[in-house]
Amino acid sequence: MTSRLGYAGVLVCFFLSGFAALLYETAWTREFAFVFGTSDLAVATVLAAYMSGLALGAGVAGRFVSRISRPVLAYALLELGIAAAALAVPWAIDGSTSLLVLGFGGRPDPPAQGGLATTLFYLAASFGILLVPTALMGATLPLLARHAVRSDAEVGRRVGQLYATNTIGAVAGTVTAAFVLLPALGLRHTIFVGVATNAAVFGVAALLARAFPPRPVVSAGPRAGLRRGGDRTRWLLALLFVSGVLSFTYEVLWTRLLGHLLGGSVYAFATMLASFLAGIALGSAVASRFARTREGSLLGFAAAQGVIAACTYAAFASLDRLPALAARLGSTGVSASFGGDVVLAAAMLLPAALGIGATFPLVVRVLARSEADAGPVSARAYAWNTLGAIVGSIAAGFLVIPALGYAGTVRAGMATNLLLALGALGLARPLPRRALVAVAGGFLVLVLAPPTSPWRLLRSSPFYPTPSSGEIAYLAVGRAATVLLLQENGEWELRTNGLPEASIQPRGGRPARFLITAWLGALPLMARPDARSMLVIGLGGGQAVEALPSRYERIDVIELEPEVVEANRVIAAERMLDPLADPRVRVTVNDARGSLLLTERRYDAIVSQPSHPWTAGAAHLYTREFFELAKRRLEPDGVFVQWIALSFLDDALLRSLLATLHAVFADVRVYRPMLPAILFAASDQPLEVEARIPRVVASAPQEWALLGVRVPEDAAAALVLDGAATRTLAAGAPLNTDDHNQLAMRSPRLMHDARARQGLLRLLADSDPLLAKEVPGDRVYLVRRLVAQLMADRAKRLMETTADAAVRETARGFLALALGRSGPARRAFERALESDPASLDARAGWLEAQRAALRAGDPTARSRARELDPAGRAVAEGWLREAARDWPGLRELDDGLGAVAPRHPLQPAAARLRVRWRVEGGDAPRCAEALDVVDRGLGVWVTVPDLIVRARAAACAGFPVAALSNLAEAAQAAPPNSPLAREIVRVLDALSLSGSATSDRARLRKRLAGLSAGS
């Protein structure tokens, strides 16, 4: 075998070593999260243990590598050892779970993160488990450097080539793990691929070793190349250490920043990491071509630091241009195509990474005095660089970025890069004056034009094409996430790393604005009226907590990010309700699984509302293992409720989630109170929600009216899959597990997949429990309720399957009425009355369709009004007094209007009349009453005109910001160039606002310009 061919074989082996190493890192990090959780502290301890093993392995290898005569054979044996140790890691992680529970379990309450004892356990367990495989990995580079470098001239070139080749393998491993192996095989089988790769490398390297002659043993010690180098270059290792600190600080910084555009999926993270590693590999390869002399390499190290500083400055300065570029590229971070993500990540990360990658071979070239030093010097340099990376990765997330912010971190990093360049230049002989001038120029730029915060990027999100223009109410660069609270359109939007978490209502806001969130805590109580304790996983904007019925006596909340809690506190005095002021509420900051693992407390209900199932903090909250853990923390008849957005699912993922829940719970149902999300309800006891509505509503009718629940049909209309349907759909579907989490892998690809959405909606339609022949309850009311819930297609299907002609035509009439088609509605009601002249629903519907005629004095309409029941006659009389603007007269009818039953077809009309006279009076207390009537009397029946009236009431009652919120909501549905659009503008202009709300109004007014043309 020729020397060139043998060296090529070694490079191939080392490429595969890097490939396997990143497979392991990806899989092991996720597996440790199942035990220690995804809190920043737990992740940091695992990362520190992993990299400490690499540094330790390199450091130990440096002491002995010069004495090894068959370094390729030793390398082969290391690869075999890595394979064997990697096989044991998953079982060791499982064992650490038992030890964790044994030592720290049994807590009376869910524990918070950050305890010293648990932190030490995390560190000891992760270090003990990862020490052997990572130390063996760290020892491989010094061995191959010992083999590959045959002359002093080859030191920089071949060490750089080895480092670059291994890093390119790491790039391939990162991409393959994220885009191929994890989605197709899962965690354990991904590890097996890594084991097979290491085993193959062992075989190839062992064969190669037979063809290479033994290397002469030399006596060079662990400080080879340093003793002879004198004090001048001895400090270079310290500079390399600091360079390692900076490299990982930048990696953490860029990952956090680009997350605002690319999202937090495994694909986005792999794209960013691959871009960073590709830059390191390319920089190392380029530097290896120029690392010929020691003095030249020393200057090259200084130049590399200058390149890092310059590229970082340029990239950071261009961040605010990225949202527009992302829009042009179609890059969202949550789509099936990732080409735009690659372009963005490469443009931002790769240039500076070139300089980072160049530093290692340059330092080795400076420190190695002969080919005999290649192995030990490589080991020492690798160890120091890796130790710096450990410090950088931990300090960046825990200290530097939270303390300095993004711009401050960049300024400090660039200044340190320039100081490193200055330090390296100080070691050069003769002192290069031009280079010193360049460094001075860099400091001058930092002073005169320092980097500033990229506000446009920080306002961006993978979900929206353009950055928000709202006012920033709160911004915190936390240890694990950037939490942003934006005020726009009278509401606050909470974002974490650019991903929307919640919208928060102001004082005087509409409780039913986000009904799906309010149902999270209400649904368990509908099923179990005696429930008294609840655990909520994820605080978010706090709506699920602020809407909880009073019957709950204890409410525990587990929130992963402490800055989310702080964001809620910042606006406590201005929001509709402050959930943290509720004495029943106890907030724990920790990872949910890690906290639940260590407590024995049981709850009547557990609600899980992680926002984005592909992110690290949420992905493991949709698996069988989490559902089993939640079940262990429930009382025997307890109820588990899981939220998920429909845009994150297709029919296959829905079936998988249903199968996973059925593998744990006996009864599973799916509810959809409003668009665009669904709620899974699961329990070991039958979920007889509709049958228990009368009892639970009777306990607090005013509270349940705010949730839009007054009669059993309100729950029936929200039920989209009953127990029988979920069992049928779950049959044969694969389970979503920690090992093979298909939801985490596939959900970010579905966000903009219209075909997936259509398939999912077809599946729900085909299994609709309302299509059964014997549907209990009032079908006309169900149709009206479905239309109010913006589910007109479902209402049509229910109407068409109704056998009773009178009921069918009545339902058809109300559907047409809701769509603003009074003529077809009147004719449908007349057909219904032909089939059933006594139908109260048809009579009331006909009169509502003929309301204009009634007000005009039409005798037929007046006659039909007299045929109604007392409630209907009160509404008809109210319409007449409203038309005459007889507000005192309308007030006299208030008691009768307030007594109209919830199922009565004219109940929403009665509520509107009760609101109208209160608002027209202009009295603040009466306007406050009007808000309550809208919220309790209308709820889901609110229309655009109702929102406009509510805005007037809110402004009159002293809640102008809530009025702004109502008008913004109305503007989303108002037809362009319509009287409604012009009325929205009129009311908006009349609002008395101050502070940021004034800017809010200006932005909304600008957006409404097209709607209100001609106003």
Side-chain angles (χ1 to χ4, degrees):
M1 181 183 298
T2 66
S3 175
R4 182 173 296 180
L5 184 59
Y7 179 56
V10 169
L11 288 179
V12 171
C13 287
F14 210 35
F15 170 88
L16 294 174
S17 292
F19 176 86
L22 261 292
L23 294 188
Y24 294 141
E25 183 179 358
T26 302
W28 291 342
T29 301
R30 297 175 77 87
E31 287 203 295
F32 270 107
F34 304 145
V35 182
F36 301 158
T38 56
S39 67
D40 50 332
L41 182 63
V43 172
T45 55
V46 173
L47 180 62
Y50 187 95
M51 301 186 72
S52 296
L54 295 177
L56 180 62
V60 171
R63 292 179 175 271
F64 302 102
V65 67
S66 298
R67 306 171 195 174
I68 297 174
S69 62
R70 304 293 296 271
V72 176
L73 180 59
Y75 164 72
L77 293 174
L78 288 182
E79 290 292 314
L80 185 61
I82 294 169
L87 281 174
V89 167
W91 285 272
I93 292 175
D94 291 342
S96 69
T97 307
S98 301
L99 289 175
L100 180 65
V101 174
L102 182 65
F104 303 96
R107 307 283 184 90
D109 297 309
Q113 68 175 5
L116 177 61
T118 53
T119 301
L120 291 175
F121 175 85
Y122 294 161
L123 188 60
S126 54
F127 191 90
I129 293 169
L130 297 178
L131 176 62
V132 173
T134 55
L136 295 177
M137 292 176 195
T140 56
L141 176 61
L143 283 169
L144 292 186
R146 157 87 167 135
H147 161 77
V149 178
R150 302 290 173 140
S151 68
D152 183 66
E154 291 181 338
V155 172
R157 179 165 55 88
R158 290 212 160 179
V159 169
Q161 288 172 348
L162 286 169
Y163 188 69
T165 300
N166 188 252
T167 307
I168 292 172
V171 173
T174 300
V175 173
T176 303
F179 288 88
V180 180
L181 297 179
L182 288 176
L185 303 178
L187 287 174
R188 293 292 169 91
H189 285 85
T190 296
I191 292 173
F192 293 157
V193 171
V195 169
T197 302
N198 287 130
V201 171
F202 160 73
V204 174
L207 289 175
L208 289 173
R210 298 175 62 182
F212 298 130
R215 296 282 285 152
V217 176
V218 296
S219 59
R223 296 180 65 81
L226 298 183
R227 290 193 299 266
R228 296 188 294 271
D231 292 336
R232 192 162 63 92
T233 57
R234 189 174 297 179
W235 292 100
L236 201 55
L237 283 176
L239 299 183
L240 184 62
F241 170 84
V242 177
S243 181
V245 173
L246 285 178
S247 67
F248 263 73
T249 298
Y250 286 139
E251 182 183 357
V252 173
L253 175 84
W254 288 114
T255 301
R256 295 275 292 272
L257 284 169
L258 289 178
H260 285 264
L261 289 178
L262 305 186
S265 70
V266 65
Y267 306 112
F269 180 76
T271 300
M272 290 185 281
L273 180 58
S275 298
F276 190 74
L277 292 175
I280 290 176
L282 186 57
S284 179
V286 171
S288 70
R289 307 289 296 177
F290 297 97
R292 298 188 180 98
T293 66
R294 295 175 186 86
E295 290 300 329
S297 296
L298 192 59
L299 295 178
F301 179 85
Q305 297 301 322
V307 167
I308 296 169
C311 291
T312 299
Y313 183 88
F316 197 80
S318 64
L319 280 174
D320 275 341
R321 297 185 178 90
L322 287 190
L325 177 60
R328 288 197 296 270
L329 293 173
S331 173
T332 65
V334 283
S335 65
S337 174
F338 296 98
D341 297 4
V342 173
V343 172
L344 292 177
M348 293 295 103
L349 293 169
L350 197 145
L354 291 171
I356 293 171
T359 58
F360 181 78
L362 292 169
V363 168
V364 172
R365 173 64 277 187
V366 174
L367 296 179
R369 296 298 163 174
S370 69
E371 68 273 14
D373 290 344
V377 167
S378 296
R380 197 168 185 80
Y382 185 82
W384 278 83
N385 193 49
T386 304
L387 288 173
I390 296 170
V391 174
S393 61
I394 295 175
F398 280 82
L399 299 173
V400 179
I401 296 177
L404 302 181
Y406 291 127
T409 300
V410 169
R411 289 193 291 267
M414 288 178 57
T416 307
N417 284 130
L418 295 174
L419 288 173
L420 289 175
L422 198 62
L425 294 174
L427 300 175
R429 296 294 182 271
L431 199 64
R433 295 184 179 180
R434 290 184 179 179
L436 290 175
V437 171
V439 172
F443 279 114
L444 189 62
V445 169
L446 272 180
V447 172
L448 298 180
T452 57
S453 295
W455 294 114
R456 188 169 178 81
L457 177 75
L458 293 176
R459 295 171 182 271
S460 300
S461 171
F463 282 66
Y464 310 122
T466 57
S468 169
S469 58
E471 299 288 331
I472 294 179
Y474 179 77
L475 173 65
V477 183
R479 297 185 301 188
T482 301
V483 176
L484 181 66
L485 196 62
L486 289 164
Q487 187 171 13
E488 189 170 17
N489 295 332
E491 302 172 354
W492 292 275
E493 183 182 21
L494 180 68
R495 296 183 184 180
T496 301
N497 291 332
L499 296 172
E501 298 285 345
S503 291
I504 304 171
Q505 290 280 285
R507 290 179 62 225
R510 191 166 75 88
R513 174 80 164 96
F514 303 104
L515 195 61
I516 187 76
T517 310
W519 268 58
L520 273 167
L523 187 54
L525 203 58
M526 295 182 206
R528 305 286 183 264
D530 295 324
R532 294 296 178 267
S533 62
M534 167 173 282
L535 171 67
V536 179
I537 296 174
L539 174 65
Q543 298 100 318
V545 180
E546 70 184 17
L548 287 175
S550 60
R551 289 180 68 85
Y552 288 113
E553 298 171 356
R554 178 186 175 112
I555 304 163
D556 287 353
V557 181
I558 301 177
E559 170 57 47
L560 179 62
E561 177 53 58
E563 297 298 344
V564 167
V565 182
E566 186 59 31
N568 279 273
R569 289 198 177 102
V570 166
I571 57 171
E574 303 172 71
R575 64 184 296 166
M576 184 167 63
L577 288 172
D578 177 15
L580 301 181
D582 190 330
R584 301 173 298 167
V585 174
R586 175 183 181 274
V587 179
T588 298
V589 176
N590 201 351
D591 175 84
R593 284 182 62 161
S595 193
L596 288 180
L597 193 65
L598 301 180
T599 184
E600 289 186 345
R601 178 166 293 279
R602 289 177 174 266
Y603 300 90
D604 296 316
I606 294 179
V607 167
S608 181
Q609 55 164 350
S611 297
H612 309 99
W614 58 80
T615 59
H620 66 322
L621 299 180
Y622 290 90
T623 65
R624 177 183 60 188
E625 290 80 1
F626 170 67
F627 295 155
E628 289 171 341
L629 178 58
K631 181 179 176 179
R632 293 199 295 271
R633 299 295 169 257
L634 282 171
E635 296 291 352
D637 65 341
V639 179
F640 174 77
V641 175
Q642 178 82 56
W643 174 97
I644 193 168
L646 282 174
S647 56
F648 304 158
L649 295 174
D650 59 9
D651 54 350
L653 283 179
L654 176 62
R655 289 165 56 91
S656 178
L657 282 174
L658 291 174
T660 307
L661 284 164
H662 268 294
V664 179
F665 296 98
D667 194 13
V668 178
R669 289 182 166 203
V670 178
Y671 287 84
R672 190 185 180 192
M674 289 290 282
L675 304 176
I678 57 175
L679 304 178
F680 297 96
S683 178
D684 270 350
Q685 302 299 320
L687 291 164
E688 299 171 347
V689 173
E690 294 74 28
R692 293 174 178 173
I693 289 296
R695 177 187 168 191
V696 71
V697 169
S699 67
Q702 294 302 307
E703 287 185 3
W704 289 96
L706 285 175
L707 301 174
V709 178
R710 295 177 293 183
V711 294
E713 288 88 344
D714 293 326
L719 179 67
V720 292
L721 294 175
D722 58 18
T726 60
R727 279 189 292 273
T728 300
L729 293 175
L735 303 186
N736 198 56
T737 64
D738 285 349
D739 178 59
H740 203 179
N741 192 334
Q742 282 296 303
L743 184 64
M745 296 297 112
R746 292 182 53 206
S747 59
R749 297 178 178 233
L750 298 174
M751 278 296 299
H752 304 286
D753 190 337
R755 288 182 299 178
R757 200 80 59 253
Q758 291 169 0
L760 176 62
L761 294 177
R762 280 195 301 270
L763 181 144
L764 291 175
D766 293 342
S767 305
D768 193 340
L770 292 184
L771 299 185
K773 291 183 179 179
E774 298 297 331
V775 177
D778 185 335
R779 287 204 174 206
V780 172
Y781 182 88
L782 283 170
V783 168
R784 293 171 51 232
R785 172 80 188 204
L786 289 173
V787 173
Q789 292 175 194
L790 304 180
M791 300 178 187
D793 289 342
R794 193 177 179 210
K796 289 177 183 178
R797 291 193 299 271
L798 175 61
M799 176 190 70
E800 291 165 357
T801 57
T802 301
D804 188 310
V807 172
R808 184 174 62 251
E809 291 302 324
T810 301
R812 192 186 307 278
F814 278 112
L815 181 59
L817 198 60
L819 298 176
R821 300 163 57 195
S822 58
R826 176 181 55 79
R827 291 189 290 272
F829 290 129
E830 288 173 348
R831 291 192 297 270
L833 288 171
E834 290 174 2
S835 298
D836 182 6
S839 171
L840 175 63
D841 286 339
R843 288 180 182 180
W846 185 93
L847 191 64
E848 187 161 13
Q850 291 294 96
R851 180 170 47 179
L854 174 70
R855 288 173 167 174
D858 180 80
T860 303
R862 293 288 179 97
S863 175
R864 288 283 179 90
R866 288 191 292 271
E867 295 173 359
L868 291 174
D869 63 332
R873 291 196 296 272
V875 171
E877 181 62 27
W879 283 335
L880 293 174
R881 296 186 184 185
E882 180 188 37
R885 303 185 67 82
D886 179 7
W887 309 127
L890 186 56
R891 178 179 178 177
E892 293 174 358
L893 298 175
D894 194 71
D895 289 342
L897 294 172
V900 178
R903 284 195 188 89
H904 198 288
L906 294 180
Q907 187 277 327
R912 291 184 179 104
L913 291 170
R914 299 184 68 216
V915 170
R916 187 70 190 276
W917 72 262
R918 287 172 166 85
V919 174
E920 294 299 335
D923 180 63
R926 290 299 188 187
C927 287
E929 290 178 9
L931 293 178
D932 190 65
V933 174
V934 172
D935 297 338
R936 300 182 196 276
L938 286 175
V940 298
W941 312 92
V942 168
T943 62
V944 171
D946 296 328
L947 289 171
I948 298 174
V949 172
R950 194 189 191 283
R952 293 176 57 202
C956 167
F959 303 116
V961 178
L964 182 66
S965 171
N966 296 152
L967 294 174
E969 184 183 357
Q972 294 175 357
N977 305 324
S978 66
L980 283 176
R982 291 189 285 274
E983 177 67 7
I984 291 172
V985 172
R986 188 190 68 77
V987 176
L988 180 66
D989 289 343
L991 289 180
S992 177
L993 298 169
S994 61
S996 60
T998 305
S999 301
D1000 239 5
R1001 172 170 56 190
R1003 285 189 294 270
L1004 179 58
R1005 184 66 170 80
K1006 183 177 180 181
R1007 183 161 65 87
L1008 284 167
L1011 290 177
S1012 58
S1015 60

